Amino acid sequence: MAAAAPSSVKIARRGLMLVISSPSGAGKSTIARTLMDRDQQIGLSVSVTTRQRRQSEIEGVHYHFVSQREFERLRDSDSLLEWAQVHGNYYGTPREAVEIAMGEGRDMLFDIDWQGAQQLQEKMSADVVSIFILPPTMAELQSRLHRRAEDTEEVIQTRLNNSRAEIAHWREYDYVIVNDDLNSAFDAVQSIVKAERLRRDRRHGLFDFVEGLIA
Ligand code: ADP
Ligand code: 5GP
């Protein structure tokens, strides 16, 4: 008789809030998208923004594009978990989707700036794991912004001008990755997620598991 397949031991754990920040063009959205494609356990927090939609972007997938008035309504009704003004536009994280995911122990990915990362860190430090992505050189950052070819020259210049001030916050993050080779940077992110999921503090199901084990 064939041996029974070993039962996979499932241990309940808290969801992870994976925060990824970088100066514009360093590659955080590319890394975030790859992670979403390859890891079914993690969901993306879709932000609201007053920024104009880029040609490649889809409403409700990349962002919820809203008017300034609608943004203020959401902010003033406490519907945003965090919000910030970045490169002259407003961005915010809808609270409800995060609370539902966290309540169900699901992981969530946040592509947000350092101001948002600070706010989540203050409110939910036990669940937040933060990663800062650096470009290999400033020249490469500039050429990536041009290669992306989705913003006007004026917007690119604003973003480049803001990049040094954004990079100055690198020390506030748990992990820092230099995105030179995309595959290596992605591997690093995957390793972080894998290890953070195994942290004892997040795995509240361990109490029951160990009790059963030694009973
Ligand atoms: P961000 O979200 O940080 O603003 P993006 O993910 O949009 O940046 O990346 C900016 C551009 O750089 C995109 O065209 C992307 O394909 C490219 N890119 C990202 N990572 C790398 C890399 N390691 N090497 C070369 N190009 C990259
Ligand atoms: P982009 O316009 O390139 O999509 O994003 C510009 C910046 O805003 C990026 O640094 C991005 O991470 C950040 N951002 C996007 N959504 C949010 C959000 O909900 N909150 C905050 N604080 N920043 C955000």
Side-chain angles (χ1 to χ4, degrees):
M1 202 171 75
S7 63
S8 62
V9 178
K10 279 239 156 72
I11 293 170
R13 65 171 174 84
R14 292 168 68 86
L16 203 69
M17 294 174 71
L18 186 70
V19 172
I20 304 190
S21 305
S22 78
S24 190
K28 71 185 161 311
S29 302
T30 307
I31 291 171
R33 270 198 304 275
T34 312
L35 189 62
M36 300 298 308
D37 287 346
R38 300 203 195 157
D39 186 334
Q40 307 306 317
Q41 285 188 63
I42 197 159
L44 179 69
S45 164
V46 181
S47 298
V48 291
T49 182
T50 60
R51 163 165 83 58
Q52 286 255 309
R53 188 175 64 81
R54 293 183 186 130
Q55 242 179 4
S56 66
E57 290 176 329
I58 301 164
E59 159 63 33
V61 175
H62 298 91
Y63 282 108
H64 299 291
F65 297 94
V66 297
S67 64
Q68 174 94 18
R69 203 186 157 123
E70 174 63 1
F71 187 91
E72 284 166 4
R73 190 192 66 77
L74 292 168
R75 183 194 61 192
D76 297 343
S77 60
D78 206 26
S79 303
L80 303 179
L81 192 54
E82 62 74 33
W83 67 274
Q85 191 177 16
V86 192
H87 313 310
N89 298 298
Y90 287 96
Y91 297 83
T93 300
R95 177 190 297 280
E96 197 181 0
V98 181
E99 288 181 347
I100 291 173
M102 291 299 110
E104 293 174 356
R106 285 188 281 115
D107 301 327
M108 243 186 167
L109 176 63
F110 300 81
D111 173 340
I112 59 177
D113 85 323
W114 62 270
Q115 303 172 83
Q118 277 186 356
Q119 293 171 58
L120 292 191
Q121 190 68 49
E122 275 163 26
K123 290 181 181 163
M124 302 157 114
S125 63
D127 297 322
V128 171
V129 174
S130 60
I131 304 178
F132 198 83
I133 309 286
L134 288 169
T137 63
M138 296 308 274
E140 173 64 11
L141 183 69
Q142 183 166 6
S143 71
R144 281 183 196 172
L145 279 171
H146 282 110
R147 277 207 302 274
R148 184 164 70 187
E150 295 232 49
D151 296 316
T152 61
E153 189 53 37
E154 192 190 344
V155 167
I156 290 177
Q157 282 314 317
T158 304
R159 287 170 178 244
L160 279 173
N161 291 341
N162 293 340
S163 62
R164 284 186 168 76
E166 292 175 316
I167 290 173
H169 291 275
W170 69 276
R171 288 185 198 82
E172 296 161 21
Y173 288 73
D174 298 320
Y175 300 93
V176 177
I177 295 172
V178 179
N179 178 20
D180 189 356
D181 173 67
L182 189 55
N183 286 328
S184 311
F186 178 70
D187 282 350
V189 170
Q190 249 185 337
S191 305
I192 291 164
V193 171
K194 204 169 176 181
E196 289 286 347
R197 279 179 178 149
L198 289 169
R199 265 187 188 276
R200 187 191 59 224
D201 295 353
R202 276 200 183 92
R203 303 167 77 205
H204 53 80
L206 275 174
F207 287 93
D208 285 344
F209 175 73
V210 175
E211 259 181 37
L213 195 65
I214 61 177

